[in-house]
Amino acid sequence: MDLYLLNELIQKLPEFRSLASQLAGKAAAGIRLGLPGTAFSFMAAAIYANFARPVLFVTAHPELARRHFEQVRLWLKPDAAVDFFPEMDLSGSTASADPVVNSERVKILSALSRFKAGVDTGKQAPFILASGLSLSGKCISEDAFLAGSLEIKNGMKIKQSALLEKMQKLGYEYEEVVEIPGTFGKRGGIIDIFPGGRDLPVRVEFFGDEIESVREYDPRTQRSAGMLFSLTLLPAREQAPLLTASLLDYLPHDAILIIDDVAQLEAEVTRVKGEIVRSQPGEDNSGGDAAAATLFFSCQEVRACIAGWGHVVEFNSWDTDQLVQSAGSRLQLRPAPNFAQRFPAFVENLPALRIENKRILIVSQQSERIRELLLEQGIDVYPTAALTALPGEGALTLMKGSLDGGWRLGAEMLLLTDVELFGIIKQRRATKARPVRHHRLLNDINLGDMVVHIEHGIGRFAGVTRKIIDGVEREYLVLQYAGSDTLYVPVDQVDRVSLYIGGSDRAPSLSRLGSQEWHRAQQKVKESVAKIAGELVELYAGREVGGGLVFSPDTLWQQELEASFPYVETADQLEAIAAVKSDMQSPRPMDRLVCGDVGYGKTEIALRAAFKAVMDGRQVAVLVPTTILAQQHMNTFSERLKPFPVKIAALSRFCSSREQTDIIHKLAEGHFDICIGTHRMLQKDVVFKDLGLVIIDEEQRFGVVHKEYFKKMRQAVDVLTLSATPIPRTMHMALSGIRDMSTIETPPESRLPVVTHVGGFSNKLVREAVLRELERDGQVFIVHNRVHSINELAFKLAELVPEARMSIAHGQMDEDKLEKIMADFPAGNTDVLLTTTIIESGLDMPNVNTLIVDCADRLGLTQL
């Protein structure tokens, strides 16, 4: 959306010019503005657009700061230098922090420092958004940051050993294959580095002690992505001894500090500081060690920093009883009228609104639906994909997009969004791609592990060595085979080697180099695969020619349902939705696998497909492996489809015999449109009147008999399979093209990368992990597979983390009580679930980010 043009409207107002005049002075502390909360991002963007000066916009809570970050970007030009400064880990540890967070922090600190020093002449002033936690967390001092940076360039003379030593001092860690920020590797005369603050790693080639070239490269393909003349190596992370500065120390003296409610900010800083102190028990678990707290400023210190700043603007939510005045002037930003779920009332009031406001702009995810509804009432509206000019007076403009809410700017403009028209607000989720490990073998393999070479078979990994062959020094993987056979594999051919994954606990026999043994094993597997493939070809050939249902294109109700989704869809989620719809509108029966982790949006794809089938008068069966998951899906489907005339039933063992009989009877009569249930739905007495779509959630959890039923089903109706962990055969069928597959790889904004810690049970560690999740509104699983001692552990945890709401779940509990507990946890009524491995039975838990396993070695969970 190109909404930045609307900044012209407020900048013309005398009240805003008075504010700008104050901010242009040498000091402008204490400016308080009363605004509707929905206009905070717009006002912050307008202030930034009016000055070529840095702006730091701080709000109390991290989630609110992220939301402002997304909104501010919409109100500014696409190339505006807007960044979000991520929070430090509450433990104060930078060594174990997310490397992407470290990289983002040093990138922003570098940008601020360079702008302050006048190095980046001609670049836009930075606009940084941060939370109270970011402002209270200490940064590396600017002097140490600058001293810890190193510039390298073509022709520079430096010993490789000296460069490696410097990188280690900067916090970089050695890895065989460099794919993650903050790592480096070395091969002969080449040093690979993934610098902090950059999107791609770089390859530095030496000729003796002279740098011959510096180039970026793609870590996936290892191919060059462009030459660099010079490169500044920033610290990989901020090191604890040097954390003495505030984020404000990196801003020039004329930067503008905008604060969303100072009182809330101070309250949050106080709360966080207290939590950190309380979460730092000593080594003997008796408490008292508050070392991490020294890495965070107190509320008094933060207040002093703010008081000493020259240009401070405080935003406060607009009071309906009075306008908060600033220096005798009033900003004419007021709340927009609300017509939530009363669109006819909006249409009725539209003529009066057009008289009261010179121009009206509607920004909605349901723009097409609004346009059709207005046209039905004879109201002409100007639809646009982007604003190319400021709307003229009298204009009624309609744009597709998502904003947090609308407002009225005097008589100049009225902004209305989905919030005012439909009571809907879209939660934006981060879609920035994270670096991933494409070549995992060298990072995961250990000495003695069994591996498979694609040409030579099963061997044992014996380490990495350096050899000079034909005058070229290279690194090689050393693989030992039967007898005394040894194979040296160049590191750049690591893709030909993989870890051995067997079907039993018994170690495999080593292959013998030069024999036909491995060839015969491969041939045997090919014959078995060919047999299975024959069966599958017969099945899917019948599916191709059998002719399936051809569903109609999307209806207006379909558009309305999709617009009510409370999140902004990720790119790969939209691709999956489009693929499913295309399959359903094709005469070939759909058989698509949607693969994605928990919380990535698979259920929403299924719900939209189900609604599409119902709109064509067809019934939908949703099969899930557990009664708890069935109830979760029932709640989700019921809530999302509540505004529509769709009848939903749930069929599982928790239904009484009488209820089951009634549901089955009504399914046969076509009374229910959607039925969600377990394997009970696969019994012979369950008959649908007009089944059009079957959705299978986690197919791998069903039995062999059930899968045979699914196999026959695929020849007759559309089948959509959802899975977070598909079995190898299912995955192979999808990858080989026998089954269609869509993958969803973009995580929700709150999802963290996996960090594994193995060690003894520690009160300090457990309390810290739980409190970290509570801070970010997450949830925690604690697994303890001993029913007889689980209550004892619960008592201990209750003393250790009294702030957390905790429940216990295990298989020996009463079924009704267990069902309630397992339903309360996904609903967010419990923070910590202390449980046995019963959780493996299947739960949709998108908000669980921490898993604590007690005695993992006894559970067979050492790979977690």
Side-chain angles (χ1 to χ4, degrees):
M1 295 186 293
D2 298 321
L3 295 174
Y4 63 88
L5 293 169
L6 301 183
N7 286 323
E8 296 179 20
L9 289 176
I10 193 168
Q11 290 174 2
K12 293 178 181 178
L13 296 178
E15 298 84 359
F16 185 85
R17 291 202 297 270
S18 174
L19 170 66
S21 177
Q22 294 178 66
L23 290 174
K26 292 184 178 180
I31 297 177
R32 299 179 71 244
L33 300 179
L35 311 166
T38 53
F40 282 10
S41 300
F42 169 67
M43 176 56 69
I47 291 173
Y48 172 76
N50 192 74
F51 298 95
R53 287 154 54 183
V55 170
L56 174 61
F57 185 7
V58 182
T59 190
H61 303 287
E63 290 304 315
L64 183 57
R66 287 181 173 85
R67 200 157 74 233
H68 281 320
F69 168 63
E70 294 291 347
Q71 295 289 300
V72 163
R73 292 165 64 191
L74 301 176
W75 293 111
L76 294 171
K77 293 182 179 181
D79 61 349
V82 184
D83 273 304
F84 177 81
F85 190 66
E87 303 84 24
M88 183 189 295
D89 190 282
L90 274 180
S91 67
S93 170
T94 57
S96 62
D98 180 0
V100 176
V101 170
N102 286 332
S103 181
E104 285 294 310
R105 286 177 64 93
V106 299
K107 181 187 77 172
I108 292 171
L109 294 179
S110 174
L112 290 173
S113 180
R114 292 175 67 86
F115 187 88
K116 181 179 179 181
V119 176
D120 291 334
T121 306
K123 285 194 175 182
Q124 295 187 57
F127 188 146
I128 309 300
L129 290 101
S131 68
L133 183 57
S134 295
L135 189 63
S136 64
K138 295 182 181 179
C139 306
I140 182 174
S141 68
E142 190 173 9
D143 289 342
F145 185 82
L146 295 174
S149 301
L150 173 67
E151 185 176 13
I152 58 175
K153 55 186 176 182
N154 292 341
M156 177 180 177
K157 290 189 175 181
I158 182 173
K159 290 183 179 294
Q160 294 184 48
S161 58
L163 178 57
L164 295 175
E165 182 181 354
K166 180 69 173 178
M167 285 190 297
Q168 288 178 315
K169 289 182 179 179
L170 292 179
Y172 288 83
E173 296 180 353
Y174 178 81
E175 287 199 6
E176 293 285 351
V177 180
V178 175
E179 299 173 302
I180 301 296
T183 60
F184 72 96
K186 183 181 184 301
R187 299 192 312 277
I190 296 175
I191 297 178
D192 290 341
I193 314 168
F194 204 139
R198 297 191 71 92
D199 295 326
L200 290 175
V202 297
R203 182 157 289 155
V204 182
E205 297 185 51
F206 279 81
F207 182 77
D209 290 338
E210 182 178 323
I211 295 178
E212 191 174 42
S213 68
V214 181
R215 66 182 70 202
E216 288 186 314
Y217 69 93
D218 185 336
R220 181 177 59 87
T221 63
Q222 297 290 303
R223 292 181 178 176
S224 175
M227 296 290 295
L228 299 174
F229 174 74
S230 64
L231 168 71
T232 300
L233 286 179
L234 303 175
R237 58 177 180 265
E238 303 160 83
Q239 294 170 331
L242 304 176
L243 295 176
T244 59
S246 164
L247 178 60
L248 291 171
D249 293 332
Y250 281 80
L251 296 174
H253 69 279
D254 63 343
I256 300 172
L257 173 60
I258 301 175
I259 302 175
D260 176 357
D261 198 321
V262 169
Q264 283 193 22
L265 174 65
E266 292 183 351
E268 179 66 7
V269 170
T270 300
R271 187 190 68 80
V272 168
K273 181 81 170 182
E275 288 290 348
I276 295 168
V277 172
R278 289 192 296 274
S279 67
Q280 299 297 317
E283 295 303 319
D284 60 353
N285 295 328
S286 61
D289 178 13
T294 63
L295 302 180
F296 292 83
F297 291 109
S298 67
C299 180
Q300 292 76 13
E301 290 171 319
V302 171
R303 186 185 296 127
C305 288
I306 294 174
W309 201 252
H311 301 81
V312 182
V313 180
E314 180 187 354
F315 289 170
N316 287 277
S317 294
W318 191 83
D319 191 327
T320 55
D321 298 324
Q322 63 179 359
L323 288 172
V324 178
Q325 298 189 25
S326 172
S329 65
R330 292 182 177 181
L331 283 170
Q332 300 179 40
L333 274 165
R334 305 184 182 185
N338 196 313
F339 304 98
Q341 301 181 10
R342 296 181 296 116
F343 195 79
F346 164 67
V347 176
E348 182 181 342
N349 284 272
L350 188 54
L353 293 174
R354 300 189 74 170
I355 293 173
E356 296 170 4
N357 302 276
K358 294 181 181 179
R359 51 185 68 80
I360 297 177
L361 173 63
I362 302 174
V363 179
S364 171
Q365 288 286 343
Q366 306 183 57
S367 57
E368 286 300 317
R369 177 191 174 214
I370 292 174
R371 182 171 180 268
E372 293 187 14
L373 291 173
L374 291 177
L375 288 176
E376 288 176 3
Q377 302 297 321
I379 301 173
D380 192 20
V381 62
Y382 175 67
T384 180
L387 292 177
T388 56
L390 190 66
E393 293 189 14
L396 175 59
T397 308
L398 181 62
M399 284 183 68
K400 185 176 179 65
S402 175
L403 290 173
D404 278 355
W407 34 260
R408 190 198 302 266
L409 181 59
E412 292 295 321
M413 192 185 76
L414 172 63
L415 171 68
L416 296 172
T417 69
D418 286 324
V419 177
E420 290 76 34
L421 298 180
F422 304 108
I424 298 169
I425 182 170
K426 289 267 187 179
Q427 300 290 330
R428 302 189 69 86
R429 298 191 289 190
T431 57
K432 185 176 180 179
R434 296 179 58 88
V436 297
R437 300 185 188 276
H438 301 283
H439 306 277
R440 297 192 61 88
L441 179 68
L442 291 178
N443 296 304
D444 296 343
I445 196 170
N446 296 307
L447 286 175
D449 285 350
M450 307 301 288
V451 296
V452 180
H453 191 284
I454 192 171
E455 296 170 355
H456 303 289
I458 300 173
R460 179 179 286 107
F461 177 63
V464 178
T465 188
R466 307 185 67 83
K467 295 180 75 68
I468 299 177
I469 300 178
D470 296 332
V472 178
E473 184 181 15
R474 304 170 74 183
E475 285 186 323
Y476 293 84
L477 274 68
V478 182
L479 307 184
Q480 295 177 343
Y481 285 82
S484 58
D485 295 346
T486 301
L487 179 69
Y488 295 94
V489 181
V491 170
D492 57 6
Q493 295 181 20
V494 68
D495 58 322
R496 307 186 70 77
V497 181
S498 60
L499 281 169
Y500 172 82
I501 301 175
S504 68
D505 295 333
R506 189 176 65 180
S509 300
L510 297 178
S511 302
R512 184 175 295 277
L513 295 180
S515 70
Q516 293 297 309
E517 177 185 345
W518 178 244
H519 175 74
R520 288 193 296 269
Q522 287 179 306
Q523 190 61 34
K524 186 176 179 180
V525 171
K526 288 179 181 179
E527 292 172 359
S528 298
V529 170
K531 182 179 179 181
I532 296 173
E535 297 175 1
L536 293 173
V537 167
E538 182 179 350
L539 167 66
Y540 285 90
R543 177 173 161 260
E544 290 286 339
V545 300
L549 303 171
V550 179
F551 290 96
S552 305
D554 288 356
T555 62
L556 274 177
W557 275 5
Q558 182 84 29
Q559 296 175 20
E560 183 176 343
L561 168 72
E562 297 183 1
S564 68
F565 182 51
Y567 301 97
V568 175
E569 297 86 348
T570 60
D572 40 9
Q573 192 179 19
L574 288 173
E575 289 179 8
I577 292 168
V580 169
K581 289 181 179 179
S582 177
D583 290 348
M584 294 180 70
Q585 293 172 203
S586 166
R588 186 187 72 169
M590 176 174 68
D591 185 12
R592 179 169 292 275
L593 167 66
V594 176
C595 187
D597 205 348
V598 175
Y600 280 38
K602 301 189 300 296
T603 302
E604 178 64 18
I605 296 171
L607 187 144
R608 296 186 186 187
F611 190 76
K612 187 177 183 69
V614 171
M615 287 298 95
D616 260 17
R618 301 286 183 169
Q619 290 174 298
V620 179
V622 182
L623 295 169
V624 298
T626 67
T627 53
I628 300 298
L629 193 53
Q631 188 59 47
Q632 284 186 283
H633 281 331
M634 181 67 182
N635 295 340
T636 301
F637 275 64
S638 298
E639 179 64 28
R640 294 277 282 111
L641 300 179
K642 183 165 53 177
F644 306 97
V646 178
K647 296 179 179 178
I648 310 172
L651 185 62
S652 70
R653 65 181 178 87
F654 283 127
C655 299
S656 66
S657 298
R658 188 171 183 177
E659 289 173 331
Q660 291 186 29
T661 301
D662 182 58
I663 292 173
I664 292 170
H665 176 71
K666 290 182 177 178
L667 279 176
E669 290 184 341
H671 178 77
F672 287 118
D673 302 302
I674 300 174
C675 187
I676 303 170
T678 58
H679 59 278
R680 175 66 181 88
M681 286 174 52
L682 302 178
Q683 296 178 11
K684 292 182 179 180
D685 61 335
V686 180
V687 178
F688 288 79
K689 180 182 179 181
D690 199 359
L691 185 62
L693 173 66
V694 175
I695 299 171
I696 307 172
D697 197 353
E698 301 296 350
E699 181 181 8
Q700 74 275 8
R701 295 189 180 274
F702 289 90
V704 176
V705 175
H706 301 144
K707 292 175 183 176
E708 288 299 317
Y709 182 89
F710 298 156
K711 189 185 296 185
K712 296 175 183 177
M713 187 186 297
R714 287 186 168 92
Q715 292 185 343
V717 297
D718 282 10
V719 177
L720 177 62
T721 304
L722 314 176
S723 182
T725 54
I727 58 177
R729 178 177 174 182
T730 300
M731 181 63 76
H732 183 268
M733 290 167 63
L735 293 175
S736 60
I738 298 175
R739 294 179 66 179
D740 297 316
M741 181 175 74
S742 297
T743 57
I744 307 178
E745 298 177 336
T746 305
E749 182 178 6
S750 57
R751 181 62 53 85
L752 295 175
V754 175
V755 177
T756 302
H757 171 83
V758 179
F761 189 95
S762 164
N763 290 350
K764 175 181 177 180
L765 188 63
V766 171
R767 176 172 168 80
E768 179 184 304
V770 174
L771 288 180
R772 186 181 297 117
E773 276 306 317
L774 296 186
E775 170 66 25
R776 57 192 303 278
D777 296 325
Q779 292 174 292
V780 179
F781 276 140
I782 297 182
V783 180
H784 176 82
N785 208 31
R786 292 290 184 272
V787 174
H788 72 274
S789 58
I790 198 169
N791 289 327
E792 182 182 345
L793 178 59
F795 182 78
K796 182 177 182 179
L797 291 170
E799 288 186 325
L800 190 61
V801 196
E803 302 92 333
R805 299 167 298 170
M806 186 170 58
S807 295
I808 304 173
H810 57 78
Q812 296 180 18
M813 299 178 68
D814 175 76
E815 285 189 355
D816 291 337
K817 183 178 181 180
L818 177 61
E819 179 190 10
K820 183 180 186 306
I821 291 171
M822 298 294 267
D824 280 347
F825 191 54
N829 299 326
T830 305
D831 300 315
V832 176
L833 183 61
L834 175 58
T835 177
T836 61
T837 52
I838 192 174
I839 59 169
E840 294 181 353
S841 61
L843 273 179
D844 188 7
M845 301 303 308
N847 207 36
V848 176
N849 297 282
T850 296
L851 170 65
I852 300 173
V853 183
D854 186 22
C855 301
D857 55 324
R858 299 180 191 172
L859 307 182
L861 299 175
T862 52
Q863 297 303 313
L864 287 175

